[in-house]
Amino acid sequence: MSDNMQIHVKLYSTLKPYAPGSEGQFDLTLRPGATLKEVCSRLGIPETFRRTALINGKRAESDSILNQDDILVMFPEICGG
Amino acid sequence: MYGWMGKILRVDLTSGVCKEEQLDPAVAKDYIGGRGLGIYLLHREGNPKGDPLAPENPMIMATGPLTGTGAPTGARYMVMTKSPLTGAVTCSNSGGMFPTEFKRTGYDAIVFSGRSESPVYLWVDQGKAELRDAAHLWGKNTHQTTDLLLEETQARAKVACIGPAGEKQVLFASIMNDKHRAAGRSGVGAVMGSKNLKAVVVRGKGRIPLADPDRFKVFNKEILDIFKANVKETPLGLTVNGTAGVVMATQNFGVLPTKNWQQGTFEGWEKIDGEELTKKFLKKNSACYGCPIGCGRLTRVDDEKFKGEGEGPEYETIYAMGSNCLIDNLPAILKANYLCNELGMDTITMGATIACAMELVDRGYLSEDQVGRSLEWGDAEALVELTRMTGTREGFGDRLAQGSYRLADSCGHPELAPVSKKQEFPGYEPRGSQAMGLAYATSPIGGSHMRGDPAYFELFSVPEAMDPHIWEGKAKVTKAFQDLSAIIDSAGLCIFFAVRNLAAKDLGVAPTGILEYINAATGIDYTLEELMQAGERIINAERIFLTEAGFSRKDDSLPDRLTKTPAPTGPAKGMVCHLEEMLDDYYKVQEWTADGIPEPAVIEKLGLDKLKKD
């Protein structure tokens, strides 16, 4: 299956180092039907790294499927007040 | 007693007499300490219908059995009283170093009653307490006051004090301890000012006795080892960027309150987020006593225009003074933050009141003549100038000093004030985080999430990731968090550590870790059920105080903007907060009537029928 689906990725805070280049934002080409788990694996983000992922503003889990032009945002678990 | 020191200090400011009494072990067991002990004492000595700024309103400072024991983040105390901003109960919380020092003087709590004829401060040197003249301190800001007091008592003492804002009874005046830490909300500083009490200075060298020091040490090591292992896997955002790191999260969830709560996304967010703060203004982290997180920020602005230094800003400050005002000028936010700390005012209410004023001007309900200057969205200089003027109640600052509700109401438009029970909300938009709306509306202190923070499950995935757009099923988990927060606040711990590390995620955040710490420290053999019931008892005791003060369902409210106007931008676009539906569920779960009044059955179950009897 060829990689011909493109999504836009934004990595923040301590996840930024996993982005190619120096900006946390980049485009990624994937196979159609790729899951969040595959994206993390492609970027080298360990499964043990606790993070929040949003696809188009909606919370996503490891088995969430990505679609053409989706915006994927990931940041480490945080808290505050 | 163990864990607790076993004594309460009573300070009658009218007569000038200080005396001590024993802490009743049965009360300590049922109400734990801190917030719980505070509401118990407030019920017995205060008046739910009284004037919060009258001498009859008692002000209670209370630590918990875990404060100062070495449990991670066991460094907190609560200030409990009736609030002049809301008319409801308030339990304002702070950390730093003062609470531990206070407890080491030998007292679990101090109850202030009456009013002094002239300004005084309380000096507690080990177990000895005396009121001293504070006329020479009146008018000084919190930093100057602290420095002077350390000179005239002991260099290693710790100070909690009010600034000019508390003296002038700004309705959201705070009590600052260790200069930079705030018991911020609901005007506890105004109550202190109304009593002519300028400061509390403590020097304590007492040991805090533990019932089973070995058991405590073993468990403590276990907890810290797990914590360190977790941090190795996932560096803690709080440590790296402080709470300011939350800006990025709320923006991406579309719940960053912007333009007086008109929407949940802000274009300029990256200019005011945690990374920017760390990159440009952070000098170093700071931590409360015994805290392994170190979320505090020591910062400095060198830019001539907004020059200053101190601690902060926290996320809440950045939302209230930043996105909420359409201000993307971080140095200005830092400066206004420093001013709030020096003058002694709550940053959330300050920022939210200025944003409300901006909208009132924008809509023509308030004129620039009345304000005394221009006040457009995004005006960073106005933020700083008006903050300064509010702290001393100068000019328009006198009106801002009453908070957003009274300001908007005086202009004929109370619906524009972002409040519940007249207190302004913290930085999470309920149209995009449903349970947050429920928490705000049912918090016993008015607009607040700290008495049960749904951000944990709506946004931060603790105990599990929930969909923030769904309102069904949120009542039960909101109640669980509220009960947990009552236990954390009463034990003397900090939410930032306790929620993630001391509560069992698979049991709906049951306080299993807190249970072990408390039992090892106090020797009381609480069962998990008993401890959880204590949390319920405290929540219901607060609710009863509110009921007696005249509050009911009608006051468990949110502005129409949040329940009727669909969010215009972001992931929550088109949504409103379904408060009424959640309230129906919530009252059932609480065993309260449909009007939000605790039923006799739950009052009896929790022993609250004995609350006022001797």
Side-chain angles (χ1 to χ4, degrees):
Chain A
M1 201 161 340
S2 62
D3 283 2
N4 56 12
M5 182 182 77
Q6 200 175 74
I7 63 169
H8 190 68
V9 184
K10 300 184 194 181
L11 299 180
Y12 290 111
S13 184
T14 47
L15 276 174
K16 248 195 203 173
Y18 294 98
S22 57
E23 291 297 306
Q25 298 195 32
F26 53 96
D27 289 333
L28 195 63
T29 314
L30 302 163
R31 65 167 188 92
T35 62
L36 179 59
K37 188 170 181 187
E38 285 169 53
V39 174
C40 290
S41 168
R42 176 87 86 84
L43 296 172
I45 299 171
E47 285 204 21
T48 50
F49 196 121
R50 287 180 305 282
R51 56 179 178 41
T52 299
L54 301 170
I55 297 175
N56 302 328
K58 278 267 186 186
R59 198 192 275 290
E61 301 307 325
S62 292
D63 54 3
S64 298
I65 294 175
L66 287 138
N67 295 299
Q68 176 68 28
D69 296 328
D70 274 351
I71 298 175
L72 170 65
V73 170
M74 282 198 282
F75 46 86
E77 85 177 353
I78 21 137
C79 71
Chain B
M1 291 176 88
Y2 299 96
W4 296 285
M5 302 308 271
K7 290 195 293 190
I8 295 178
L9 176 66
R10 288 188 173 279
V11 178
D12 181 341
L13 291 160
T14 307
S15 67
V17 172
C18 300
K19 65 177 208 259
E20 63 179 54
E21 72 180 34
Q22 299 305 308
L23 170 63
D24 182 347
V27 170
K29 176 167 188 192
D30 283 346
Y31 293 91
I32 306 175
R35 178 174 166 190
L37 180 58
I39 191 60
Y40 174 82
L41 291 167
L42 195 60
H43 262 288
R44 294 174 78 88
E45 331 229 336
N47 178 3
K49 290 187 166 25
D51 175 3
L53 297 174
E56 291 69 44
N57 184 24
M59 186 179 80
I60 298 142
M61 292 184 168
T63 60
L66 295 182
T67 306
T69 56
T73 72
R76 302 226 140 227
Y77 88 121
M78 305 289 300
V79 182
M80 308 279 298
T81 188
K82 181 171 162 156
S83 160
L85 182 69
T86 63
V89 72
T90 187
C91 38
S92 191
N93 180 295
S94 182
M97 299 294 161
F98 171 85
T100 297
E101 192 82 18
F102 155 10
K103 187 170 170 185
R104 294 179 70 191
T105 64
Y107 300 108
D108 296 295
I110 308 176
V111 181
F112 294 96
S113 59
R115 168 189 292 159
S116 171
E117 249 178 60
S118 60
V120 291
Y121 71 90
L122 178 71
W123 166 224
V124 188
D125 181 7
Q126 307 284 55
K128 240 176 359 110
E130 60 171 312
L131 286 166
R132 289 181 168 187
D133 179 40
H136 58 298
L137 301 167
W138 206 251
K140 298 220 177 330
N141 76 28
T142 59
H143 291 199
Q144 297 159 337
T145 301
T146 301
D147 288 338
L148 287 165
L149 282 168
L150 293 179
E151 266 171 46
E152 67 186 65
T153 57
Q154 288 176 33
R156 297 177 72 174
K158 302 285 178 259
V159 178
C161 66
I162 56 174
E167 294 172 10
K168 293 186 189 291
Q169 297 171 36
V170 169
L171 292 187
F172 48 96
S174 60
I175 299 173
M176 302 301 297
N177 63 280
D178 307 304
K179 284 189 179 169
H180 307 290
R181 293 274 161 184
R185 305 233 64 200
S186 319
V188 292
V191 173
M192 198 158 150
S194 74
K195 295 184 175 311
N196 278 323
L197 178 64
K198 177 67 175 171
V200 178
V201 190
V202 292
R203 179 69 177 122
K205 300 186 201 168
R207 256 183 61 252
I208 295 168
L210 299 179
D212 192 338
D214 290 332
R215 177 179 173 189
F216 191 97
K217 197 163 158 195
V218 164
F219 186 63
N220 201 28
K221 179 168 191 314
E222 213 178 283
I223 290 293
L224 284 172
D225 283 348
I226 296 173
F227 174 78
K228 285 179 200 153
N230 284 340
V231 168
K232 228 170 155 196
E233 273 172 11
T234 308
L236 214 47
L238 270 185
T239 308
V240 176
N241 288 321
T243 61
V246 173
V247 176
M248 171 268 299
T250 49
Q251 165 71 14
N252 278 286
F253 272 102
V255 300
L256 174 62
T258 299
K259 204 177 182 187
N260 194 36
W261 291 78
Q262 289 182 29
Q263 61 190 61
T265 56
F266 179 49
E267 263 174 34
W269 72 272
E270 277 177 296
K271 297 198 179 133
I272 58 173
D273 79 345
E275 272 192 30
E276 191 68 4
L277 181 67
T278 301
K279 205 163 52 178
K280 300 224 171 102
F281 303 105
L282 180 71
K283 292 299 147 202
K284 63 179 215 225
N285 288 22
S286 86
C288 295
Y289 179 88
C291 173
I293 301 173
C295 75
R297 315 275 97 189
L298 263 165
T299 56
R300 192 169 78 217
V301 178
D302 290 318
D303 167 331
E304 234 355 274
K305 201 154 161 205
F306 299 118
K307 206 172 161 77
E309 64 183 299
E311 278 196 34
E314 302 301 328
Y315 167 70
E316 302 298 343
T317 309
I318 292 176
Y319 119 71
M321 295 178 164
S323 58
N324 201 32
C325 296
L326 290 190
I327 287 174
D328 62 6
N329 184 326
L330 193 50
I333 295 170
L334 265 72
K335 182 63 179 176
N337 167 74
Y338 300 147
L339 285 171
C340 281
N341 288 353
E342 288 158 24
L343 296 165
M345 291 189 293
D346 175 34
T347 56
I348 297 177
T349 298
M350 184 77 265
T353 302
I354 288 175
C356 185
M358 284 172 170
E359 181 160 7
L360 289 164
V361 168
D362 190 15
R363 292 184 185 273
Y365 303 144
L366 186 61
S367 73
E368 289 188 347
D369 263 354
Q370 290 171 296
V371 177
R373 58 163 297 140
S374 62
L375 185 56
E376 288 182 15
W377 294 110
D379 189 342
E381 281 170 33
L383 169 70
V384 173
E385 179 67 5
L386 290 174
T387 298
R388 208 194 303 268
M389 290 168 70
T390 304
T392 50
R393 297 196 86 140
E394 228 180 284
F396 188 64
D398 191 44
R399 287 181 77 181
L400 290 169
Q402 309 231 347
S404 68
Y405 180 82
R406 290 170 182 82
L407 174 68
D409 194 33
S410 72
C411 297
H413 289 275
E415 75 280 2
L416 293 179
V419 300
S420 188
K421 303 182 180 70
K422 301 194 182 77
Q423 177 159 268
E424 296 76 3
F425 307 127
Y428 303 88
E429 233 266 44
R431 290 176 290 190
S433 171
Q434 296 288 323
M436 197 54 88
L438 179 62
Y440 290 167
T442 59
S443 157
I445 74 168
S448 169
H449 67 323
M450 287 308 279
R451 309 282 81 86
D453 188 355
Y456 275 96
F457 52 90
E458 300 269 84
L459 310 178
F460 307 145
S461 311
V462 177
E464 58 183 90
M466 296 181 106
D467 186 338
H469 297 167
I470 291 178
W471 62 264
E472 290 97 334
K474 294 289 174 67
K476 191 154 178 240
V477 62
T478 301
K479 170 178 160 34
F481 266 78
Q482 288 176 333
D483 291 347
L484 176 65
S485 88
I487 297 166
I488 294 172
D489 291 345
S490 301
L493 297 170
C494 173
I495 303 234
F496 291 173
F497 190 87
V499 173
R500 270 192 209 285
N501 302 284
L502 300 178
K505 295 179 192 162
D506 53 348
L507 293 177
V509 296
T512 49
I514 303 174
L515 180 72
E516 181 61 15
Y517 270 121
I518 288 189
N519 282 341
T522 64
I524 304 258
D525 211 8
Y526 285 104
T527 62
L528 186 59
E529 287 66 38
E530 281 172 336
L531 187 61
M532 290 174 78
Q533 198 173 77
E536 283 192 296
R537 180 176 302 115
I538 293 159
I539 293 286
N540 278 276
E542 289 172 341
R543 189 68 184 186
I544 292 169
F545 189 92
L546 256 62
T547 304
E548 291 170 353
F551 291 86
S552 63
R553 182 177 184 135
K554 64 181 181 350
D555 307 290
D556 289 349
S557 63
L558 293 175
D560 280 353
R561 173 167 279 170
L562 302 177
T563 55
K564 300 204 166 80
T565 308
T569 66
K573 184 171 175 177
M575 298 183 194
V576 297
C577 181
H578 294 263
L579 177 63
E580 292 307 310
E581 296 96 314
M582 286 189 287
L583 272 181
D584 289 331
D585 283 353
Y586 176 82
Y587 291 152
K588 287 201 187 86
V589 164
Q590 286 286 28
E591 294 175 73
W592 297 349
T593 66
D595 200 30
I597 316 286
E599 299 258 29
V602 78
I603 291 177
E604 220 184 285
K605 173 180 91 173
L606 298 170
L608 288 169
D609 43 347
K610 301 193 221 81
L611 191 50
K612 291 189 205 294
K613 295 188 204 150
D614 259 22

